[in-house]
Amino acid sequence: MPAQLRELERDIIPLRAVDSVGLAALRGLLAPHSTEISNVKVEASRFDHRKLSELVAELAKGERGLIMVMGKGGVGKTTVAAAIALGLVQSGKSVHLSTTDPAAHLAVTLNGEVPGLSVGRIDPKVETRKYVDKIVAAKSPGMTQAEKDLLIEDLRSPCTEEVAVFHAFSHVVSQAGSSFVVLDTAPTGHSLLLMDATGAYHRQMLREFEGKASGRIVTPLMRLQDAAYTKIILVALPEATPVSQAVALQDDLRRARIEPFAWVVNKSLLATTTRDPLLLARLESERKQIERVKAQASGEVFMVPWTASPPVGVAAIKALLDA
Ligand SMILES: Nc1ncnc2c1ncn2[C@@H]1O[C@H](COP(=O)(O)OP(=O)(O)OP(=O)(O)O)[C@@H](O)[C@H]1O
Ligand SMILES: [Mg+2]
């Protein structure tokens, strides 16, 4: 915590045994929480869950394709994307891990660490500069200085960044035609904007080539909709609101006629062997959320346990696969 924030007065709200949804739970936030825990009966029967390595084995049946990891902010997209990429490399595939997350240090630190794995990042600023340079180089020969200035001013519009990022995204999508590409997306709002651009481009292309070559056009959106080409992995946390948010994201994707391939429930306590009384008390809430996920998810559900410390570095991330 930054020094300035540390100096402020603060309240600390402990993790509770139940999700704070509903009136009783909200009232409970004001009461001492020790009572919730003392009622817990430790359950011997553990949860039988499918591991991330099983998802990787499923994906590794192919030789190429786009694996797009999506989900709300902070659910573990970058972590899960890195684990899937490492898992595929382990099964002998060569993999490109690409991230659009501006804060994906985790993924970036893997670059050059593992033979068979390359890591790239779509940085909007860098992509915009490259795109503007390309357009200017292509169009400026033969232009007067005034015309060139006008072109450059035109390219300063915010649309340019959107187009440039879409270009980079389309390139990554097409790369998946010859090898595995794992794409770690930024928090949802941004990704859906990208999807929107993808849809707009698709419609534009169909209009432009109407009749003529329309049977031969393959747009990035068509590749995302093609279940043989693209596998969407939806990451969610096993708590009430995050599950609702992930279901809403799945609905958004379905409206674009994109069907998720599988769900990954991250930071699961059921997938751990915890003996901590508070965490054990939370298992009941989690079980309910897993039931909701299983009822709503398209595709199979895989689980990643909550680890005692954040999974950073090749060894820790690989360990998530079989945890
Ligand atoms: N299974 C896990 N156990 C413990 N900590 C985890 C686990 N998965 C992720 N984390 C930690 O949770 C935090 C968020 O994870 P991550 O950065 O992968 O999420 P994200 O969805 O990519 O976030 P953003 O939306 O900001 O891109 C990180 O500190 C990460 O180390
Ligand atoms: Mg991320």
Side-chain angles (χ1 to χ4, degrees):
M1 189 180 280
Q4 298 98 309
L5 291 183
R6 232 180 298 139
E7 282 165 17
L8 296 177
E9 232 181 275
R10 65 188 123 139
D11 286 321
I12 293 182
I13 302 176
L15 180 66
R16 307 300 295 242
V18 291
D19 273 351
S20 41
V21 173
L23 205 50
L26 284 177
R27 285 210 176 98
L29 281 182
L30 303 169
H33 67 300
S34 47
T35 49
E36 295 166 0
I37 297 173
S38 55
N39 299 336
V40 174
K41 293 187 288 297
V42 177
E43 221 177 299
S45 82
R46 278 293 169 177
F47 196 73
D48 200 16
H49 69 275
R50 301 205 67 195
K51 298 178 212 158
L52 203 53
S53 58
E54 295 174 67
L55 171 59
V56 171
E58 199 66 42
L59 296 168
K61 283 180 184 163
E63 281 311 315
R64 63 190 71 82
L66 178 67
I67 296 157
M68 207 165 152
V69 182
M70 302 189 76
K72 275 277 172 177
V75 296
K77 296 178 294 298
T78 303
T79 306
V80 169
I84 291 174
L86 288 174
L88 286 170
V89 169
Q90 249 173 0
S91 34
K93 313 287 176 183
S94 71
V95 181
H96 181 66
L97 172 61
S98 177
T99 176
T100 56
D101 175 359
H105 311 293
L106 171 76
V108 174
T109 56
L110 297 179
N111 198 19
E113 283 262 305
V114 182
L117 177 69
S118 65
V119 183
R121 179 156 125 58
I122 300 179
D123 177 333
K125 293 283 165 285
V126 174
E127 297 306 330
T128 306
R129 211 177 317 123
K130 275 202 290 200
Y131 180 75
V132 168
D133 289 349
K134 201 172 100 184
I135 300 285
V136 171
K139 292 201 168 176
S140 63
M143 276 186 170
T144 64
Q145 190 56 45
E147 285 170 333
K148 200 169 154 183
D149 290 346
L150 193 63
L151 174 66
I152 291 173
E153 189 179 329
D154 220 23
L155 288 169
R156 243 175 241 141
S157 105
C159 305
T160 303
E161 182 172 311
E162 214 177 305
V163 172
V165 170
F166 173 65
H167 259 263
F169 173 71
S170 305
H171 178 68
V172 167
V173 171
S174 70
Q175 259 182 304
S178 52
S179 68
F180 274 112
V181 174
V182 180
L183 183 63
D184 163 35
T185 64
T188 311
H190 187 269
S191 312
L192 287 181
L193 205 68
L194 204 56
M195 294 292 212
D196 217 35
T198 312
Y201 178 78
H202 174 74
R203 288 186 293 277
Q204 167 78 19
M205 276 304 163
L206 291 191
R207 262 200 304 277
E208 216 150 285
F209 289 90
E210 205 183 0
K212 287 173 267 170
S214 57
R216 274 181 286 135
I217 300 180
V218 181
T219 66
L221 179 66
M222 288 159 78
R223 286 185 160 143
L224 297 187
Q225 290 167 334
D226 177 359
Y229 194 96
T230 301
K231 308 247 177 333
I232 306 271
I233 312 296
L234 231 159
V235 184
L237 298 178
E239 288 176 34
T241 306
V243 169
S244 302
Q245 289 171 331
V247 169
L249 174 57
Q250 178 174 268
D251 290 343
D252 281 340
L253 288 168
R254 281 179 173 163
R255 267 194 290 281
R257 286 197 283 127
I258 296 171
E259 196 66 28
F261 177 73
W263 278 51
V264 172
V265 172
N266 188 27
K267 295 194 187 174
S268 162
L269 290 170
L270 284 166
T272 67
T273 52
T274 184
R275 305 181 65 83
D276 178 276
L278 170 65
L279 300 185
L280 287 171
R282 290 187 57 84
L283 293 185
E284 216 32 61
S285 308
E286 185 176 318
R287 217 180 288 270
K288 265 187 233 148
Q289 297 311 319
I290 301 288
E291 287 317 312
R292 272 182 77 205
V293 169
K294 286 192 170 160
Q296 305 243 32
S298 78
E300 281 192 72
V301 180
F302 299 85
M303 296 184 35
V304 177
W306 205 8
T307 58
S309 50
V312 177
V314 174
I317 296 170
K318 266 191 195 166
L320 293 179
L321 290 165
D322 271 308

Coordinates of all heavy atoms in Angstrom, one line a residue, residues 249-317:
L249 N -21.3 -12.4 -19.1 CA -20.3 -12.4 -20.1 C -20.6 -13.5 -21.1 O -20.5 -13.3 -22.4 CB -18.9 -12.5 -19.5 CG -17.8 -12.7 -20.5 CD1 -17.7 -11.5 -21.5 CD2 -16.4 -12.8 -19.8
Q250 N -21.0 -14.7 -20.6 CA -21.3 -15.8 -21.5 C -22.5 -15.4 -22.4 O -22.5 -15.7 -23.6 CB -21.6 -17.0 -20.7 CG -22.0 -18.3 -21.5 CD -22.2 -19.5 -20.7 OE1 -21.3 -20.3 -20.5 NE2 -23.4 -19.7 -20.1
D251 N -23.5 -14.7 -21.8 CA -24.6 -14.3 -22.6 C -24.2 -13.3 -23.7 O -24.7 -13.4 -24.8 CB -25.7 -13.6 -21.7 CG -26.4 -14.6 -20.8 OD1 -26.3 -15.8 -21.1 OD2 -27.0 -14.2 -19.8
D252 N -23.3 -12.4 -23.4 CA -22.8 -11.4 -24.3 C -22.1 -12.1 -25.5 O -22.3 -11.8 -26.7 CB -21.8 -10.5 -23.7 CG -22.4 -9.3 -22.9 OD1 -23.6 -9.1 -23.1 OD2 -21.7 -8.8 -22.0
L253 N -21.3 -13.1 -25.2 CA -20.6 -13.9 -26.2 C -21.6 -14.6 -27.1 O -21.5 -14.6 -28.3 CB -19.6 -14.9 -25.6 CG -18.4 -14.2 -24.9 CD1 -17.6 -15.3 -24.1 CD2 -17.5 -13.7 -26.0
R254 N -22.6 -15.2 -26.5 CA -23.6 -15.9 -27.2 C -24.3 -15.0 -28.2 O -24.7 -15.4 -29.3 CB -24.6 -16.6 -26.3 CG -24.0 -17.9 -25.7 CD -25.0 -18.5 -24.8 NE -24.5 -19.8 -24.4 CZ -24.9 -20.5 -23.3 NH1 -25.9 -20.0 -22.6 NH2 -24.4 -21.7 -23.0
R255 N -24.6 -13.8 -27.8 CA -25.2 -12.8 -28.7 C -24.4 -12.6 -30.0 O -24.9 -12.3 -31.0 CB -25.5 -11.5 -28.0 CG -26.9 -11.4 -27.4 CD -27.3 -10.0 -27.0 NE -26.5 -9.5 -25.9 CZ -26.8 -9.9 -24.6 NH1 -27.8 -10.7 -24.3 NH2 -26.1 -9.4 -23.6
A256 N -23.0 -12.7 -29.8 CA -22.1 -12.6 -30.9 C -21.9 -14.0 -31.6 O -21.0 -14.2 -32.4 CB -20.8 -12.0 -30.5
R257 N -22.8 -15.0 -31.2 CA -22.7 -16.3 -31.7 C -21.3 -17.0 -31.4 O -20.7 -17.6 -32.3 CB -23.1 -16.4 -33.2 CG -24.6 -16.2 -33.3 CD -25.2 -16.7 -34.6 NE -24.9 -15.7 -35.6 CZ -24.3 -16.0 -36.8 NH1 -23.9 -17.2 -37.1 NH2 -24.1 -15.0 -37.7
I258 N -20.8 -16.7 -30.2 CA -19.6 -17.3 -29.8 C -19.9 -18.1 -28.5 O -20.5 -17.6 -27.6 CB -18.5 -16.3 -29.5 CG1 -18.2 -15.5 -30.8 CG2 -17.3 -16.9 -28.9 CD1 -17.3 -14.3 -30.5
E259 N -19.6 -19.4 -28.6 CA -19.9 -20.3 -27.5 C -18.6 -20.7 -26.7 O -17.7 -21.2 -27.3 CB -20.5 -21.6 -28.1 CG -21.3 -22.5 -27.1 CD -22.6 -21.8 -26.5 OE1 -23.2 -20.9 -27.2 OE2 -22.9 -22.2 -25.4
P260 N -18.6 -20.4 -25.4 CA -17.4 -20.7 -24.6 C -17.1 -22.3 -24.7 O -18.1 -23.0 -24.7 CB -17.7 -20.3 -23.2 CG -18.7 -19.2 -23.3 CD -19.5 -19.6 -24.5
F261 N -15.9 -22.6 -24.7 CA -15.5 -24.0 -24.8 C -15.5 -24.7 -23.4 O -15.9 -25.8 -23.2 CB -14.1 -24.1 -25.4 CG -13.5 -25.5 -25.4 CD1 -14.0 -26.4 -26.4 CD2 -12.5 -25.9 -24.6 CE1 -13.5 -27.7 -26.4 CE2 -12.0 -27.2 -24.6 CZ -12.5 -28.1 -25.5
A262 N -15.0 -23.9 -22.4 CA -15.0 -24.4 -21.0 C -14.9 -23.3 -20.0 O -14.6 -22.2 -20.4 CB -13.7 -25.3 -20.9
W263 N -15.2 -23.6 -18.8 CA -15.1 -22.7 -17.7 C -14.0 -23.1 -16.8 O -13.8 -24.3 -16.6 CB -16.4 -22.6 -16.9 CG -17.5 -21.8 -17.4 CD1 -18.0 -21.8 -18.7 CD2 -18.3 -20.8 -16.7 NE1 -19.0 -20.9 -18.8 CE2 -19.2 -20.3 -17.6 CE3 -18.3 -20.3 -15.4 CZ2 -20.2 -19.3 -17.3 CZ3 -19.2 -19.3 -15.1 CH2 -20.1 -18.8 -16.0
V264 N -13.3 -22.2 -16.2 CA -12.3 -22.5 -15.2 C -12.7 -21.7 -14.0 O -12.8 -20.5 -14.0 CB -10.9 -22.0 -15.6 CG1 -9.9 -22.2 -14.4 CG2 -10.4 -22.9 -16.8
V265 N -13.0 -22.4 -12.9 CA -13.3 -21.8 -11.6 C -12.0 -21.6 -10.9 O -11.3 -22.6 -10.5 CB -14.3 -22.6 -10.8 CG1 -14.5 -22.0 -9.4 CG2 -15.6 -22.6 -11.5
N266 N -11.5 -20.4 -10.7 CA -10.2 -20.2 -10.0 C -10.4 -19.8 -8.5 O -11.5 -19.5 -8.1 CB -9.5 -19.0 -10.8 CG -8.1 -18.8 -10.3 OD1 -7.4 -19.8 -9.9 ND2 -7.6 -17.6 -10.4
K267 N -9.3 -20.0 -7.8 CA -9.3 -19.7 -6.4 C -10.3 -20.5 -5.7 O -11.1 -19.9 -4.8 CB -9.4 -18.2 -6.1 CG -8.3 -17.4 -6.7 CD -8.3 -16.0 -6.1 CE -7.2 -15.1 -6.8 NZ -7.3 -13.7 -6.4
S268 N -10.4 -21.8 -6.0 CA -11.4 -22.6 -5.4 C -10.9 -23.1 -4.0 O -9.7 -23.5 -4.0 CB -11.8 -23.8 -6.3 OG -12.4 -24.8 -5.5
L269 N -11.7 -23.1 -3.0 CA -11.3 -23.7 -1.7 C -11.6 -25.2 -1.7 O -10.9 -26.0 -1.1 CB -12.1 -23.0 -0.6 CG -11.6 -21.6 -0.3 CD1 -12.6 -20.9 0.7 CD2 -10.2 -21.5 0.3
L270 N -12.7 -25.6 -2.4 CA -13.0 -27.0 -2.5 C -11.9 -27.8 -3.1 O -11.8 -29.0 -2.8 CB -14.3 -27.2 -3.3 CG -15.6 -26.8 -2.7 CD1 -16.7 -26.7 -3.7 CD2 -16.0 -27.8 -1.6
A271 N -11.2 -27.2 -4.0 CA -10.1 -27.9 -4.6 C -8.8 -27.9 -3.8 O -7.8 -28.4 -4.2 CB -9.8 -27.2 -6.0
T272 N -8.9 -27.3 -2.6 CA -7.7 -27.3 -1.7 C -7.9 -28.4 -0.6 O -8.9 -29.1 -0.6 CB -7.5 -26.0 -1.0 OG1 -8.6 -25.8 -0.1 CG2 -7.4 -24.8 -1.9
T273 N -6.9 -28.6 0.2 CA -7.1 -29.5 1.3 C -7.0 -28.7 2.7 O -6.5 -29.2 3.6 CB -6.0 -30.5 1.3 OG1 -4.7 -29.8 1.3 CG2 -6.1 -31.5 0.2
T274 N -7.6 -27.5 2.6 CA -7.5 -26.6 3.8 C -8.2 -27.3 5.0 O -9.1 -28.0 4.9 CB -8.2 -25.3 3.5 OG1 -8.0 -24.5 4.6 CG2 -9.7 -25.4 3.2
R275 N -7.6 -27.0 6.2 CA -8.2 -27.4 7.5 C -8.5 -26.2 8.3 O -8.9 -26.3 9.4 CB -7.2 -28.3 8.2 CG -6.7 -29.5 7.4 CD -5.8 -30.4 8.2 NE -6.5 -31.0 9.3 CZ -7.2 -32.1 9.2 NH1 -7.3 -32.7 8.1 NH2 -7.8 -32.6 10.3
D276 N -8.3 -25.0 7.7 CA -8.6 -23.8 8.4 C -10.1 -23.7 8.7 O -10.9 -23.8 7.7 CB -8.1 -22.6 7.6 CG -8.4 -21.3 8.2 OD1 -9.5 -20.8 8.1 OD2 -7.5 -20.8 8.9
P277 N -10.5 -23.4 9.9 CA -11.9 -23.4 10.2 C -12.7 -22.3 9.4 O -13.8 -22.6 9.0 CB -12.0 -23.1 11.7 CG -10.6 -23.1 12.2 CD -9.7 -23.2 11.1
L278 N -12.2 -21.2 9.2 CA -12.9 -20.1 8.5 C -13.1 -20.6 7.0 O -14.2 -20.5 6.4 CB -12.1 -18.8 8.5 CG -12.7 -17.7 7.6 CD1 -14.1 -17.3 8.0 CD2 -11.8 -16.5 7.5
L279 N -12.0 -21.1 6.4 CA -12.1 -21.5 5.0 C -13.0 -22.7 4.9 O -13.8 -22.8 3.9 CB -10.7 -21.8 4.5 CG -9.7 -20.6 4.5 CD1 -8.4 -21.0 3.8 CD2 -10.3 -19.4 3.8
L280 N -13.0 -23.6 5.9 CA -13.9 -24.8 5.8 C -15.3 -24.3 5.9 O -16.2 -24.8 5.2 CB -13.6 -25.7 7.0 CG -12.3 -26.6 6.8 CD1 -12.1 -27.3 8.1 CD2 -12.5 -27.5 5.6
A281 N -15.6 -23.2 6.7 CA -16.9 -22.7 6.8 C -17.4 -22.1 5.5 O -18.6 -22.0 5.2 CB -17.0 -21.6 7.9
R282 N -16.5 -21.7 4.6 CA -16.9 -21.1 3.4 C -17.2 -22.1 2.3 O -17.7 -21.8 1.2 CB -15.7 -20.1 2.8 CG -15.6 -18.9 3.7 CD -14.6 -17.9 3.0 NE -15.0 -17.6 1.7 CZ -15.9 -16.6 1.4 NH1 -16.5 -15.9 2.3 NH2 -16.2 -16.3 0.1
L283 N -16.8 -23.4 2.6 CA -17.0 -24.4 1.5 C -18.5 -24.5 1.1 O -18.8 -24.8 -0.1 CB -16.5 -25.8 2.0 CG -15.0 -25.9 2.2 CD1 -14.6 -27.3 2.6 CD2 -14.2 -25.5 1.0
E284 N -19.4 -24.4 2.1 CA -20.8 -24.5 1.8 C -21.3 -23.5 0.7 O -21.9 -23.8 -0.2 CB -21.6 -24.4 3.1 CG -22.8 -25.3 3.1 CD -22.6 -26.6 2.3 OE1 -21.7 -27.4 2.6 OE2 -23.4 -26.8 1.3
S285 N -20.8 -22.2 0.9 CA -21.2 -21.2 -0.1 C -20.6 -21.5 -1.4 O -21.3 -21.4 -2.5 CB -20.6 -19.8 0.3 OG -21.0 -19.5 1.6
E286 N -19.4 -22.0 -1.4 CA -18.7 -22.3 -2.6 C -19.4 -23.4 -3.4 O -19.6 -23.4 -4.6 CB -17.2 -22.6 -2.4 CG -16.5 -22.8 -3.8 CD -15.0 -23.1 -3.7 OE1 -14.4 -22.4 -2.9 OE2 -14.6 -23.9 -4.4
R287 N -19.8 -24.4 -2.6 CA -20.5 -25.6 -3.2 C -21.7 -25.1 -4.0 O -22.0 -25.5 -5.1 CB -20.9 -26.6 -2.2 CG -20.8 -28.0 -2.6 CD -21.2 -28.9 -1.4 NE -20.2 -28.9 -0.4 CZ -19.2 -29.8 -0.3 NH1 -19.0 -30.7 -1.2 NH2 -18.3 -29.8 0.7
K288 N -22.4 -24.2 -3.4 CA -23.6 -23.6 -4.1 C -23.3 -22.9 -5.4 O -24.0 -23.1 -6.4 CB -24.3 -22.6 -3.2 CG -25.4 -23.2 -2.3 CD -26.2 -22.0 -1.6 CE -26.2 -22.4 -0.1 NZ -26.2 -21.2 0.8
Q289 N -22.2 -22.2 -5.3 CA -21.8 -21.4 -6.5 C -21.3 -22.4 -7.6 O -21.6 -22.2 -8.8 CB -20.7 -20.4 -6.2 CG -21.1 -19.3 -5.3 CD -22.4 -18.7 -5.7 OE1 -22.7 -18.4 -6.8 NE2 -23.3 -18.5 -4.7
I290 N -20.6 -23.5 -7.2 CA -20.2 -24.5 -8.2 C -21.4 -25.1 -8.9 O -21.4 -25.3 -10.1 CB -19.3 -25.6 -7.6 CG1 -18.1 -24.9 -6.9 CG2 -18.9 -26.6 -8.6 CD1 -17.0 -24.4 -7.8
E291 N -22.4 -25.4 -8.1 CA -23.7 -25.9 -8.6 C -24.3 -25.0 -9.7 O -24.7 -25.4 -10.8 CB -24.7 -26.2 -7.6 CG -24.4 -27.4 -6.7 CD -23.9 -28.6 -7.5 OE1 -24.5 -29.0 -8.5 OE2 -22.8 -29.2 -7.2
R292 N -24.3 -23.7 -9.3 CA -24.8 -22.6 -10.3 C -24.0 -22.7 -11.6 O -24.5 -22.6 -12.7 CB -24.6 -21.2 -9.7 CG -25.8 -20.8 -8.9 CD -25.6 -19.4 -8.4 NE -25.8 -18.4 -9.3 CZ -25.2 -17.2 -9.3 NH1 -24.4 -16.8 -8.4 NH2 -25.5 -16.3 -10.3
V293 N -22.6 -22.7 -11.4 CA -21.8 -22.7 -12.6 C -22.1 -23.9 -13.5 O -22.3 -23.8 -14.7 CB -20.3 -22.7 -12.2 CG1 -19.4 -23.0 -13.4 CG2 -19.9 -21.4 -11.5
K294 N -22.2 -25.1 -12.8 CA -22.4 -26.3 -13.6 C -23.7 -26.3 -14.3 O -23.9 -26.8 -15.4 CB -22.3 -27.6 -12.7 CG -20.9 -27.8 -12.3 CD -20.7 -29.2 -11.6 CE -19.2 -29.5 -11.5 NZ -18.9 -30.5 -10.5
A295 N -24.7 -25.6 -13.7 CA -26.0 -25.6 -14.3 C -26.0 -24.6 -15.5 O -26.8 -24.8 -16.5 CB -27.1 -25.1 -13.3
Q296 N -25.2 -23.6 -15.5 CA -25.2 -22.5 -16.5 C -24.2 -22.6 -17.5 O -24.3 -22.1 -18.6 CB -25.1 -21.2 -15.8 CG -26.1 -21.0 -14.7 CD -27.1 -19.8 -15.0 OE1 -27.4 -19.6 -16.2 NE2 -27.5 -19.1 -14.0
A297 N -23.0 -23.2 -17.2 CA -21.9 -23.1 -18.1 C -22.1 -23.9 -19.3 O -22.6 -25.0 -19.3 CB -20.6 -23.7 -17.3
S298 N -21.6 -23.3 -20.4 CA -21.5 -24.1 -21.6 C -20.1 -24.7 -21.6 O -19.2 -24.1 -21.2 CB -21.7 -23.3 -22.9 OG -20.6 -22.5 -23.2
G299 N -20.0 -26.0 -21.9 CA -18.8 -26.7 -21.8 C -18.5 -27.2 -20.4 O -19.3 -27.0 -19.5
E300 N -17.4 -27.8 -20.2 CA -17.0 -28.4 -19.0 C -16.4 -27.5 -18.0 O -15.9 -26.4 -18.4 CB -16.1 -29.6 -19.2 CG -16.8 -30.8 -19.7 CD -15.9 -32.0 -19.6 OE1 -15.6 -32.5 -18.5 OE2 -15.4 -32.4 -20.7
V301 N -16.5 -27.8 -16.7 CA -15.9 -26.9 -15.7 C -14.7 -27.5 -15.1 O -14.7 -28.7 -14.7 CB -17.0 -26.7 -14.6 CG1 -16.5 -25.8 -13.5 CG2 -18.3 -26.2 -15.2
F302 N -13.6 -26.7 -15.1 CA -12.3 -27.2 -14.5 C -12.0 -26.2 -13.3 O -12.5 -25.1 -13.2 CB -11.2 -27.1 -15.5 CG -11.5 -28.0 -16.7 CD1 -12.3 -27.6 -17.8 CD2 -11.0 -29.3 -16.7 CE1 -12.6 -28.4 -18.8 CE2 -11.3 -30.1 -17.8 CZ -12.1 -29.7 -18.9
M303 N -11.3 -26.8 -12.3 CA -11.1 -26.0 -11.1 C -9.6 -25.8 -10.8 O -8.8 -26.7 -10.9 CB -11.8 -26.6 -9.9 CG -13.3 -26.5 -10.3 SD -14.5 -27.0 -9.1 CE -13.9 -26.6 -7.5
V304 N -9.3 -24.6 -10.3 CA -7.9 -24.3 -9.9 C -8.0 -23.9 -8.4 O -8.8 -23.0 -8.0 CB -7.3 -23.2 -10.7 CG1 -5.9 -22.8 -10.2 CG2 -7.2 -23.5 -12.2
P305 N -7.2 -24.5 -7.5 CA -7.3 -24.2 -6.1 C -6.7 -22.8 -5.8 O -5.9 -22.3 -6.5 CB -6.4 -25.3 -5.4 CG -5.5 -25.7 -6.5 CD -6.2 -25.6 -7.8
W306 N -7.2 -22.3 -4.7 CA -6.6 -21.1 -4.1 C -5.3 -21.5 -3.5 O -5.2 -22.5 -2.8 CB -7.6 -20.6 -3.1 CG -7.4 -19.1 -2.8 CD1 -6.7 -18.2 -3.6 CD2 -8.1 -18.3 -1.8 NE1 -6.9 -17.0 -3.1 CE2 -7.7 -17.0 -2.0 CE3 -8.9 -18.7 -0.7 CZ2 -8.1 -16.0 -1.1 CZ3 -9.4 -17.7 0.1 CH2 -9.0 -16.3 -0.1
T307 N -4.2 -20.8 -3.9 CA -2.9 -21.2 -3.3 C -2.5 -20.2 -2.2 O -3.0 -19.1 -2.2 CB -1.8 -21.2 -4.4 OG1 -1.8 -19.9 -5.0 CG2 -2.1 -22.2 -5.5
A308 N -1.7 -20.7 -1.3 CA -1.3 -19.9 -0.1 C -0.6 -18.6 -0.5 O -0.9 -17.6 0.1 CB -0.5 -20.7 0.8
S309 N 0.2 -18.6 -1.5 CA 0.8 -17.4 -2.0 C 0.5 -17.3 -3.5 O 0.3 -18.3 -4.2 CB 2.3 -17.4 -1.7 OG 2.9 -18.6 -2.1
P310 N 0.6 -16.0 -4.0 CA 0.2 -15.8 -5.4 C 1.2 -16.7 -6.3 O 2.4 -16.7 -6.1 CB 0.5 -14.3 -5.7 CG 0.5 -13.7 -4.3 CD 0.9 -14.8 -3.4
P311 N 0.6 -17.4 -7.3 CA 1.4 -18.2 -8.2 C 2.2 -17.4 -9.2 O 1.7 -16.9 -10.2 CB 0.4 -19.1 -8.9 CG -0.9 -18.4 -8.7 CD -0.8 -17.5 -7.6
V312 N 3.5 -17.1 -8.9 CA 4.3 -16.3 -9.7 C 5.6 -17.2 -10.1 O 6.1 -17.9 -9.2 CB 4.8 -15.0 -9.0 CG1 5.7 -14.2 -9.8 CG2 3.5 -14.2 -8.6
G313 N 6.0 -17.1 -11.3 CA 7.2 -17.9 -11.8 C 6.7 -19.2 -12.4 O 5.7 -19.7 -12.1
V314 N 7.6 -19.7 -13.2 CA 7.3 -20.9 -14.0 C 6.8 -22.1 -13.1 O 5.8 -22.7 -13.4 CB 8.5 -21.3 -14.9 CG1 8.2 -22.6 -15.6 CG2 8.8 -20.2 -15.9
A315 N 7.6 -22.4 -12.1 CA 7.3 -23.5 -11.3 C 5.9 -23.4 -10.6 O 5.1 -24.3 -10.6 CB 8.4 -23.7 -10.2
A316 N 5.7 -22.2 -10.0 CA 4.4 -22.0 -9.3 C 3.2 -22.1 -10.2 O 2.1 -22.6 -9.9 CB 4.4 -20.7 -8.5
I317 N 3.4 -21.5 -11.4 CA 2.3 -21.5 -12.4 C 2.0 -23.0 -12.9 O 0.9 -23.4 -13.0 CB 2.5 -20.5 -13.5 CG1 2.6 -19.1 -13.0 CG2 1.4 -20.6 -14.6 CD1 3.1 -18.1 -13.9

